[in-house]
Amino acid sequence: MGIFAIVALLVAGLFSWAPGDRDEPPAPPAVALRPGAGGGLVLGVTHAQYSLDSWLTPGQRESGEQILGATPMLQNQHIMGFGVGNPEPVPGRYDWSRLDERMDLIGRTGGTPVITLCCAPDWMKGGATGTTNWDDLAAAPLRAHFADFARLSAVVAQRYPQVRYFQVWNELKGFWDSAKGRWDQEGYTDLYNQVYDAVKKVRPDALIGGPYVVINTWSSAEATDHPSELRGPYGVVDQRSLDVVEYWNEHKHGADFVALDASTATRDKGLITTPDRASQIYSDATRWARGVTGLPVWWSEFYPDAAPPADQPGAPAKSSPPATSTAPAASSTPTTTTAPTPSGGPTPSGEPTRAGEPTSTTPTTTGEPTTTTAPAATTGTPKPATATKSSAPTTTKTSPPTTTPSGQAPDNAVPVDQARAVATLDAVARAADAGAAAMLLWQPEASDDLPYAALWSQARAGSDVLRPTSLTAAWTWLAPRLRDGLVDVHRKPADLVQFVAPQGNVTINPQPRAAPLRRGGLSVTVPPLAILLPG
């Protein structure tokens, strides 16, 4: 039996395992991942609001854990919000219940744990002691409480000695300086340094990174008052994002990696080119950040838009990327608007966007978007699963039809889930080719309000099994080979992207049209937005 056939059987067996066949999912291998330690790109996930929690059915949890544990990955969890509760509602009084559950999940599924030291208890932000106002989740701690947050971070590091990797804060939430019209990089770096010193004091082995800033882009240099020289088919990077990295790099007490976050959509016009050209942001920004800092580059969040221009044949129905901030407006009263923003970053009202939870923005006449928020989705409060079926992954040479809003299947249409998977793999290819150290997929569980690829289907009432998505098999096959540096990325012919490894290739066609490929001495046609696995 050839290697391709063996791989195909392994993948088929992996994803067809029925939860009722045994008491527990297969034990994952114990592999400690070391991004930036000389290997290749290490893939991972960030657990957010919903992720195989205790209120799911046993079958849902077991099937989901099987997918999560199919290959060793980085698994990241925040210390407050994003599926967990307030770790210190009263000074010196801790509640680790939900965070313990998430850390246990990571351990059961063979993940290498990562902790994001965000967000801060209310009393550190000027709120009442003993209360938790989830509407204020994304507010930064007051300067008077930076030392308290650093102390909490050290306590977290001591409680979870199995965790070596720590990210300090998330997207500079609460650090927008409205008066200056830029990020408060000085304030963030002060917090970072206090956290860095406190954690290193109790855990010298800890590996710590920042600034976890969003690399915002605009459609042109004329669309913003702050254009940078970092630009490409994806648009023009906002200089204020780069200023954060440069200031932090110059004034930090130390760091083991630099953390970034970006969408392929611009702030003012969304996606301005095809997804496969816009994904160049992940290679360009990786090379820029590594050149400035000399540190391993982590993509803490990445959001590749899967919707090419509507006039291209075979394109899936375009869905606008959500703004996903949990930061409330300046009045602390959430509002709703209609035009979504694609990425996090500075806004006139001072709130960053994109934390993995949906909200929306409306561009102003000056081209600077304003943000609003939907904070309820970020609490640590469990919610029961609801909704309908999800589809199994599509990784063959043909794609089942989808439907248009009118209910009719257009010619050459592909499932939106598959298009999102292709866009995600294309972004991974860009980052890997540029030498990035790690890349974290936000929320591995699919969600109706997050239009990006996931690893398993959304938990829905009436279904006792979580299904793989169109991304799952390729992600699982690539993860160990990328981390071991065994994959070369080829973009020849230009229409196709190939992950070339000794055991075979994964090929994606990011174009909305078919493309030719020579494979095994034969000429084959790769359908639009298709994923081909070895075999």
Side-chain angles (χ1 to χ4, degrees), residues 90-351:
V90 175
R93 186 183 304 168
Y94 304 104
D95 179 0
W96 305 112
S97 55
R98 290 286 294 135
L99 188 53
D100 281 351
E101 286 184 18
R102 285 289 175 89
M103 299 309 294
D104 288 345
L105 169 66
I106 293 171
R108 285 198 308 275
T109 53
T112 294
V114 179
I115 281 182
T116 295
L117 298 166
C118 182
C119 297
D122 291 50
W123 60 270
M124 296 185 191
K125 301 178 290 192
T129 297
T131 65
T132 302
N133 179 1
W134 292 108
D135 288 357
D136 289 335
L137 176 65
L142 301 175
R143 278 185 176 270
H145 289 292
F146 280 9
D148 291 314
F149 186 77
R151 175 194 48 77
L152 172 61
S153 299
V155 172
V156 168
Q158 288 178 297
R159 180 172 181 81
Y160 303 106
Q162 73 273 32
V163 180
R164 291 197 68 200
Y165 298 100
F166 297 88
Q167 301 185 110
V168 179
W169 212 241
N170 172 304
E171 296 183 325
L172 273 75
K173 296 187 191 317
F175 284 100
W176 177 252
D177 188 328
S178 298
K180 295 180 179 178
R182 65 168 177 82
W183 294 108
D184 178 15
Q185 52 246 30
E186 298 87 355
Y188 168 78
T189 304
D190 184 7
L191 175 67
Y192 173 90
N193 283 336
Q194 292 194 43
V195 170
Y196 180 90
D197 293 344
V199 172
K200 285 286 190 177
K201 182 176 181 180
V202 299
R203 287 283 310 281
D205 64 321
L207 300 173
I208 303 172
Y212 200 148
V213 65
V214 179
I215 304 299
N216 285 305
T217 58
W218 300 88
S219 61
S220 67
E222 292 70 35
T224 176
D225 293 334
H226 305 276
S228 74
E229 294 304 312
L230 184 59
R231 57 190 67 185
Y234 45 81
V236 177
V237 171
D238 193 313
Q239 182 61 45
R240 294 170 293 184
S241 296
L242 306 185
D243 289 344
V244 172
V245 177
E246 291 173 336
Y247 182 91
W248 167 82
N249 184 59
E250 183 178 351
H251 295 90
K252 68 186 184 306
H253 289 179
D256 299 288
F257 58 92
V258 57
L260 305 177
D261 175 345
S263 166
T264 56
T266 63
R267 293 299 304 268
D268 56 323
K269 292 187 178 180
L271 195 67
I272 60 173
T273 185
T274 56
D276 62 306
R277 297 189 73 225
S279 65
Q280 188 179 319
I281 181 67
Y282 300 111
S283 55
D284 287 359
T286 295
R287 293 186 176 101
W288 177 87
R290 192 168 57 175
V292 168
T293 67
L295 294 169
V297 177
W298 283 39
W299 283 101
S300 303
E301 298 179 39
F302 68 108
Y303 298 96
D305 197 309
D311 58 356
Q312 294 193 30
K318 184 169 183 177
S319 59
S320 300
T324 48
S325 176
T326 57
S331 64
S332 296
T333 303
T335 58
T336 302
T337 56
T338 56
T341 188
S343 169
T347 65
S349 60
E351 292 80 37

Side-chain angles (χ1 to χ4, degrees), residues 482-507:
L482 283 169
R483 74 162 184 260
D484 290 340
L486 301 177
V487 176
D488 291 324
V489 176
H490 294 178
R491 289 185 179 266
K492 295 180 180 179
D495 285 346
L496 299 176
V497 178
Q498 289 186 291
F499 297 88
V500 180
Q503 300 88 352
N505 303 340
V506 169
T507 302

